[in-house]
Structure formats: structure tokens, C-alpha cells
């Protein structure tokens, strides 16, 4: 599986200057290549290389950096040829194994001041042996990061009969069929507080207000990503330890159904990062060899997980005429787990009453 490994660089003062100068020079080269491509209407990478390589190489960039710049411009024009592509002076630049290498505690990369050996921090050092492909160097708020492509070997997907059902929600970000609930109250209160702050700044419409809004948005995304990573890791570890697969709701298009629900509800759904949580669960499960089944979410909250008849849900409470009662999210998670097992064994689906939506 191909993933992006984030590596934080720890350059000293001179190395910072060299990295900034390298990024500016490489992006200036990209702008010149883009100008050539636009003037001559050459967008094919091979032809663009022939038209621009010698001129850009004479500016002092290494041969491989020039190749990477040409590739960057060609890729940009694949997305849009209606206007000339312009690159920011400190936009990301790409490295490959010819101009970037890793040692135990240093990264060696090319710069306009020669090779730099820079200390780094990586939260997944066990992934470094699986480096394969290119890396993007970016700068953000005075800090430097490498996003390195790695190809991690996957464990063989195991055959399982039981599934751990996961019900996504806003109050409880994830509820498991075992009864465990992972509350989203803290992150929801954090988002509500941020929304109030955003609303006050949005009404001002000043340049400084827009800067603050951008910063707040970045912090909220980072917080949500950390929470989702933590939840996904716990769920995958639990499923693997119990020898189960993971059954998830396929919530594609759910925001389309919230149009008539009111502004407040739409705002909550809009901030709900369920797709990110699902993607984290899927890739972590694949790496761990845990099968994942996507199921239709319709009626999972209204159907009784004991007798499969339609029951009554009132807030967090679910009751059925058969006498069964349970926390509504736990009941839904059990239905999802049942559906996951049915999807995994198609020959049993015809006998599965939960699959009938009528």
C-alpha cells in the first residue's frame, strides 16, 4: 500500500536559508518552464523537456532538479490548459532518490548551496525502510516538512465469520457492536466554540480577520484528524485482537439528504469528518490484514437487532415491540455487524431479514 509519510526537518539557520533559496529558485524555474509551455503550446512532458531543459540547466540547478521541475509543470497542465500555470515562490518542490537519501538520524538532500545533511523527526521511523518514490518538500509557518511516498507491505487479509459493527455519529463519533462508545462530545463542543469565533470574525470582513479564520480552520482540521486517527487505531486493534472483520456504513451522499434539515443541522453534518474516519479505518485495517465490509445504512437505526422488526428510536433509546431495548447507537452497530457478516458470505444474504428494507 502506498502512503505518504510526514517527516519534520530540523535545519539550522544556514540550512533554512539554503532551503528557502532552493525552493525559490526551483519555483522560478517552474514559472519559466510554464512560460515556454504556454507560448509554444507544448504540454507533453517529453517535448517540454526538449524545449526547456538546456535553458533551465544553465541557471545552476542540478540535472535531476530540472527534470523534477519539468515534470511538475507538465502535471499542472494535465489538470488545466485554459490558462498559464503560475507557481508560488515557496511552493512545494519534488525530490527523488537521486537528490534525496536517508541515514539513521539525518536526511541528505540537494540544495543550491550543495548537499545538506539535516536532522529530522519522524513518528513512524519503522516506515523509512519502505521509502519508494518521490518526496515533496514544503514550508509551513517557518517549518519544513517532507511528505515521502512509502510502499508498506500489507498483511494477508484473513477469512473471518464475525464482524465488529461500527456506527458513525455526531454525539458518539463511533459506537461498536460490543457496546463501546467513543464520544464526540469534546470535539463537538470544540467545533461549536470555533464556529462562534468564526461567525464573529466573518462579520468583520477585514484582511486580518481572514487570516485568523484561515488559522482557526487549520487548527480544527488538525484536531479532528488526530481524534480520527486515534479512534481508527483503537477499532482496528480491537478487531484484530478478537479475530473479527470491521463492518462500516456506506454514508456516501449523506450530506445531500440534509438539505431540508435546517441550517444548524447542516452545519453539524458539514463539520462531521466521517469520510476521513472511514478512510483511516480502511487503510489501517488493510495494513493489519483485517477485512472491511461496507453496508447499506438504511434502517440500521430503526430495526431491532434482536428480532429484526422495525422498532422505535427516541434520541439515544431504542425499544422494540418484542421487549428488546438498547442504546440506539449500540443497536445500530449490531445491525451493521450482522449486515457485514451477511455481505461477507453472500450465500446467506437471502436468509438475512435485515437486508430487506420493506
Amino acid at each position: 500500500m502506498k502512503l505518504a509519510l510526514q517527516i519534520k526537518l530540523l535545519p539550522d539557520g544556514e540550512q533554512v536559508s539554503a532551503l528557502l533559496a532552493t525552493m525559490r529558485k526551483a519555483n522560478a524555474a517552474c514559472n519559466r518552464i510554464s512560460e515556454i509551455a504556454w507560448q509554444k503550446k507544448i504540454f507533453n512532458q517529453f517535448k517540454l523537456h526538449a524545449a526547456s531543459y538546456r535553458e533551465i540547466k544553465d541557471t545552476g540547478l542540478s540535472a535531476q532538479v530540472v527534470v523534477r521541475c519539468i515534470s511538475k509543470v507538465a502535471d499542472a497542465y494535465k489538470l488545466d490548459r485554459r490558462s498559464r500555470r503560475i507557481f508560488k515562490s515557496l511552493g512545494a518542490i519534488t525530490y527523488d532518490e537521486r537528490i534525496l537519501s536517508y541515514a539513521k538520524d539525518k536526511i541528505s538532500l540537494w540544495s543550491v548551496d550543495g548537499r545538506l545533511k539535516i536532522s529530522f523527526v519522524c513518528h513512524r521511523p519503522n516506515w523509512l525502510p519502505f521509502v519508494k518514490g518521490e518526496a515533496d518538500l514544503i514550508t509551513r509557518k517557518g517549518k519544513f516538512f517532507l511528505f515521502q511516498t512509502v510502499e508498506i507491505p500489507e498483511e494477508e487479509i484473513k477469512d473471518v465469520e464475525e464482524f465488529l459493527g461500527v456506527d458513525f455519529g455526531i454525539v458518539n463519533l463511533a459506537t461498536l457492536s460490543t457496546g463501546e462508545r467513543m464520544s464526540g462530545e469534546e470535539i463537538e463542543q470544540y467545533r461549536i466554540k470555533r464556529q462562534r469565533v468564526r461567525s464573529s470574525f466573518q462579520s468583520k470582513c477585514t484582511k486580518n480577520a481572514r487570516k485568523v479564520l484561515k488559522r482557526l480552520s487549520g487548527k480544527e482540521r488538525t484536531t479532528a484528524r488526530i481524534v480520527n486517527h486515534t479512534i481508527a487505531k483503537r477499532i482496528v486493534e480491537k478487531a484484530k485482537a478478537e479475530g473479527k472483520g470491521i463492518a462500516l456504513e456506506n454514508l456516501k451522499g449523506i450530506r445531500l439528504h440534509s438539505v431540508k434539515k435546517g441550517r444548524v443541522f447542516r452545519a453539524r453534518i458539514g463539520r462531521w469528518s466521517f469520510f476521513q474516519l472511514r478512510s483511516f479505518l480502511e487503510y489501517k485495517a488493510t495494513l493489519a490484514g483485517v477485512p472491511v465490509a461496507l453496508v447499506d445504512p438504511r434502517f440500521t437505526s430503526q430495526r431491532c437487532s434482536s428480532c429484526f422488526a422495525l422498532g422505535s428510536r427516541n434520541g439515544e433509546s431504542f425499544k422494540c415491540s418484542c421487549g428488546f431495548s438498547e442504546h440506539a447507537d449500540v443497536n445500530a452497530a449490531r445491525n451493521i455487524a450482522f449486515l457485514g457478516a451477511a455481505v461477507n458470505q453472500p450465500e446467506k444474504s437471502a436468509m438475512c431479514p435485515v437486508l430487506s428494507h420493506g
Side-chain angles (χ1 to χ4, degrees), residues 19-166:
L19 289 174
L20 290 174
T22 301
M23 296 181 79
R24 290 191 179 98
K25 192 162 188 174
N27 282 296
C30 288
N31 281 320
R32 176 55 187 151
I33 297 167
S34 178
E35 183 181 0
I36 294 171
W38 184 250
Q39 289 176 347
K40 298 184 178 182
K41 301 301 178 185
I42 299 174
F43 304 112
N44 175 271
Q45 183 172 338
F46 179 79
K47 295 179 179 178
L48 187 56
H49 182 104
S52 62
Y53 176 83
R54 180 50 55 194
E55 176 184 339
I56 304 303
K57 180 67 173 64
D58 290 341
T59 63
L61 292 175
S62 78
Q64 197 59 23
V65 172
V66 176
V67 170
R68 297 269 56 87
C69 288
I70 294 171
S71 177
K72 178 179 177 179
V73 174
D75 288 343
Y77 277 111
K78 285 180 183 178
L79 298 174
D80 183 8
R81 296 182 182 178
R82 292 173 295 181
S83 61
R84 179 185 159 193
R85 310 298 283 180
I86 299 175
F87 301 89
K88 295 180 180 179
S89 61
L90 292 180
I93 61 174
T94 304
Y95 283 82
D96 59 26
E97 66 275 4
R98 297 187 182 185
I99 46 179
L100 171 70
S101 60
Y102 296 87
K104 184 176 181 181
D105 57 351
K106 300 277 187 181
I107 287 178
S108 175
L109 53 78
W110 182 91
S111 78
V112 291
D113 291 340
R115 279 271 177 170
L116 302 178
K117 294 185 177 180
I118 306 174
S119 300
F120 68 93
V121 174
C122 177
H123 294 296
R124 290 188 177 272
N126 56 312
W127 283 9
L128 288 175
F130 304 109
V131 166
K132 187 174 183 180
E134 300 172 353
D136 290 330
L137 173 67
I138 72 165
T139 180
R140 184 190 301 153
K141 297 180 180 179
K143 300 176 182 178
F144 293 87
F145 299 89
L146 275 173
F147 287 88
Q148 173 67 61
T149 302
V150 292
E151 192 162 340
I152 308 298
E154 304 170 10
E155 291 190 26
E156 183 179 354
I157 300 295
K158 301 175 178 62
D159 290 329
V160 297
E161 294 186 359
E162 293 185 73
F163 275 74
L164 185 67
V166 182

Side-chain angles (χ1 to χ4, degrees), residues 190-198 216 219-220:
Y190 173 82
R191 284 170 169 166
I192 291 172
K193 180 180 177 181
R194 291 289 180 179
Q195 181 59 44
R196 293 196 190 105
V197 175
R198 278 199 300 271
L216 292 177
K219 287 183 178 180
E220 186 172 321

Side-chain angles (χ1 to χ4, degrees), residues 249-264:
E249 300 170 282
N250 185 1
L251 296 175
K252 183 178 180 180
I254 190 172
R255 289 186 173 90
L256 297 176
H257 301 292
S258 66
V259 175
K260 298 181 181 180
K261 297 289 186 178
R263 182 177 60 83
V264 175

Side-chain angles (χ1 to χ4, degrees), residues 282-301:
E282 287 178 326
Y283 96 76
K284 290 178 188 292
T286 301
L287 289 177
V290 175
V292 175
L294 295 178
V295 306
D296 190 335
R298 289 180 293 173
F299 297 99
T300 53
S301 295

